[in-house]
Amino acid sequence: MDHFLYQNGVLHAEDVPLPEIAAAVGTPFYVYSTATLLRHFTLFDEALNWTDHLVCYAMKAASNQAILKTLAQAGAGMDVVSGGEYLRAKAAGVPGDRIVFSGVGKTAEEIHMALTGGIRQFNVESEPEMVVLNRVAGEVGVTAPITIRVNPDVDAKTHAKIATGKSENKFGIPIARAREVYAMAAAMEHLDVIGIDVHIGSQLTELGPFEQAYLKVAELTEQLRADGHDIRRLDLGGGLGIPYTRSNEAPPLPMEFGALIQRTVGHLGCEIEIEPGRLIAGNAGLMVSGVIYVKSGEGRDFLILDGAMNDLIRPAMYEAYHDIIPVTEPAPGTEQAPFDIVGPVCESGDTFAKQRMMPPVAAGELVAFRSAGAYGAVMSSEYNTRPLIPEVLVKGDQYAVIRPRPTFDEIINRDTIPEWL
Ligand code: LLP
């Protein structure tokens, strides 16, 4: 469920008509709904109410500080994967003891930053990382709380580029070697081994793969405890998928996910963390774009938009489907026709949808990409010297620009010309 509905024939974000925002900031832009963000966070939070828990929003999905602050004020922790994300979370007011640090390639500098600034735990992904973490913690004079990310070798049944839990992926340590690696960690002076971490992939649309992974984690918890480790926290990752189409997909709900966690690991008495990103932000955001031209081609018609692959790369990168709807509600019974919906970037990959059935839209009208809140703005670039597009946050009948569109001067003046030119 989200808060982007037609009211009086015009698509709104909560109580704000999208054309009003378009008139103020220009197109294209991203717009997020506060109520939807909070609703999704609360669903996860309530799904884990049966135990001590923390929902750590995977801020890679949408990392604007206004979004982070909205969620943090509701009680969310953050899952960060870089020094930049760590600093951004801190800047948004998230306390260090609510930040978990994930990622396969944490540098010594990033580790130092988190150890001095405060951190809830590191999710360690390899032995070499463990060695560096132990050394830096020693230098800083602290003990680093860690979980070790295990790779359970399960098939997440999602797009290959976003599956992480198979043994051939770069993530975590093979679960078969976990006891050996935990023994190594326990012997390191500046590490405190507190738990286990697992994350098997993103946009999972069934619970089976989670269940397989969590059962393996439960078994490992018991083995590690028998080996003398005080396993008291389980970080079970993110990955729960969202419906991108309105008809045929019905991924499991957070409540069912929470019940699965209870069933598989609840008996262990561990504190539970999860790291959802997409389900919190995905359907809380739209990308709104203007139609530049409607072009008739050889046997097909094109809608040429002012948004492009650099603004929303998911269709080009993952063959992802995004619903694209007109901002002006079509009259009931309006005939639809197939269009290729494309951006102005100079490559054929800049195609959002092929032969998509759409009601007629004319040049100058607005369309909205649904489910664009997660992995939208954060993955955008300035390819073709196209400015990063503004982000807008709506709350009820108010809206605020939470990232303005940079000017061309700002973009161009970032380049520096060597003296010899
Ligand atoms: N935790 C870890 C360690 C992760 O690597 C990820 C996502 C998450 C949590 C959050 O997963 P989520 O709940 O959002 O599924 N750019 C891709 C998705 C990449 C996901 C990367 N890791 C896309 O647009 O589909």
Side-chain angles (χ1 to χ4, degrees), residues 337-414:
F339 288 97
D340 281 13
I341 304 176
V342 303
V345 162
C346 303
E347 52 184 288
S348 300
D350 187 22
T351 298
F352 291 120
K354 284 200 163 142
Q355 296 297 286
R356 180 74 63 86
M357 294 305 285
M358 287 283 289
V361 277
E365 292 194 55
L366 301 173
V367 296
F369 288 71
R370 294 176 58 85
S371 316
Y375 307 110
V378 285
M379 293 182 78
S380 57
S381 76
E382 289 175 348
Y383 186 38
N384 280 207
T385 309
R386 294 169 47 84
L388 292 184
I389 69 178
E391 293 181 284
V392 173
L393 182 64
V394 168
K395 183 173 191 226
D397 60 3
Q398 323 169 58
Y399 74 89
V401 177
I402 57 174
R403 186 181 71 187
R405 195 189 309 275
T407 63
F408 284 117
D409 278 350
E410 281 165 348
I411 297 174
I412 292 164
N413 293 338
R414 274 204 314 259

Side-chain angles (χ1 to χ4, degrees), residues 220-231:
L220 179 63
T221 305
E222 278 165 357
Q223 282 172 351
L224 292 175
R225 283 179 171 168
D227 291 347
H229 302 282
D230 180 14
I231 302 297

Side-chain angles (χ1 to χ4, degrees), residues 103-123:
V104 291
K106 305 175 197 78
T107 64
E109 292 72 26
E110 288 174 322
I111 289 170
H112 186 273
M113 183 190 290
L115 282 173
T116 49
I119 192 81
R120 181 176 179 84
Q121 101 230 0
F122 291 90
N123 294 333

Side-chain angles (χ1 to χ4, degrees), residues 58 60-61 79 81 102-103 125 149 161-162 164 171 197 199 201-203 237-240 244 275-279 314 318 374-375 379:
K60 62 165 78 68
D79 170 49
V81 291
S102 301
E125 299 224 14
R149 177 167 175 182
K161 284 187 187 157
I162 52 175
T164 56
F171 300 96
D197 172 43
H199 170 78
S202 195
Q203 186 54 17
L240 196 58
Y244 277 95
E275 304 168 348
R278 189 190 310 266
L279 202 146
R314 303 194 67 260
Y318 314 109
Y375 307 110
M379 293 182 78

Side-chain angles (χ1 to χ4, degrees), residues 92-314:
V94 185
D97 64 7
R98 280 205 265 147
I99 302 177
V100 303
F101 203 146
S102 301
V104 291
K106 305 175 197 78
T107 64
E109 292 72 26
E110 288 174 322
I111 289 170
H112 186 273
M113 183 190 290
L115 282 173
T116 49
I119 192 81
R120 181 176 179 84
Q121 101 230 0
F122 291 90
N123 294 333
V124 172
E125 299 224 14
S126 67
E127 289 116 304
E129 179 191 336
M130 211 152 78
V131 171
V132 172
L133 180 54
N134 185 53
R135 173 172 58 76
V136 179
E139 286 162 10
V140 175
V142 295
T143 302
I146 69 160
T147 70
I148 296 177
R149 177 167 175 182
V150 294
N151 185 323
D153 194 22
V154 301
D155 181 357
K157 299 195 185 142
T158 182
H159 192 285
K161 284 187 187 157
I162 52 175
T164 56
K166 284 292 283 177
S167 54
E168 72 254 28
N169 300 129
K170 67 182 174 184
F171 300 96
I173 56 141
I175 200 161
R177 291 195 44 236
R179 294 173 76 183
E180 182 194 327
V181 178
Y182 271 84
M184 256 182 79
M188 293 193 179
E189 201 184 335
H190 306 290
L191 302 185
D192 180 16
V193 181
I194 61 171
I196 304 174
D197 172 43
V198 70
H199 170 78
I200 57 173
S202 195
Q203 186 54 17
L204 273 72
T205 51
E206 33 185 298
L207 289 179
F210 289 117
E211 180 166 18
Q212 285 173 36
Y214 297 166
L215 287 171
K216 289 189 181 190
V217 167
E219 191 186 332
L220 179 63
T221 305
E222 278 165 357
Q223 282 172 351
L224 292 175
R225 283 179 171 168
D227 291 347
H229 302 282
D230 180 14
I231 302 297
R232 51 197 186 272
R233 182 181 292 169
L234 300 179
D235 181 334
L236 299 173
L240 196 58
I242 61 171
Y244 277 95
T245 58
R246 276 169 295 178
S247 47
N248 55 4
E249 272 176 296
L253 302 171
M255 197 48 79
E256 299 169 270
F257 181 64
L260 170 78
I261 292 174
Q262 185 169 21
R263 205 162 62 240
T264 49
V265 302
H267 59 286
L268 298 165
C270 289
E271 181 187 3
I272 301 294
E273 282 169 4
I274 54 171
E275 304 168 348
R278 189 190 310 266
L279 202 146
I280 291 179
N283 282 325
L286 303 179
M287 183 178 82
V288 178
S289 190
V291 178
I292 306 178
Y293 297 116
V294 183
K295 171 175 168 176
S296 296
E298 194 76 49
R300 59 180 66 210
D301 292 334
F302 296 92
L303 281 188
I304 303 180
L305 306 183
D306 58 10
M309 63 189 293
N310 68 299
D311 305 311
L312 177 65
I313 199 158
R314 303 194 67 260

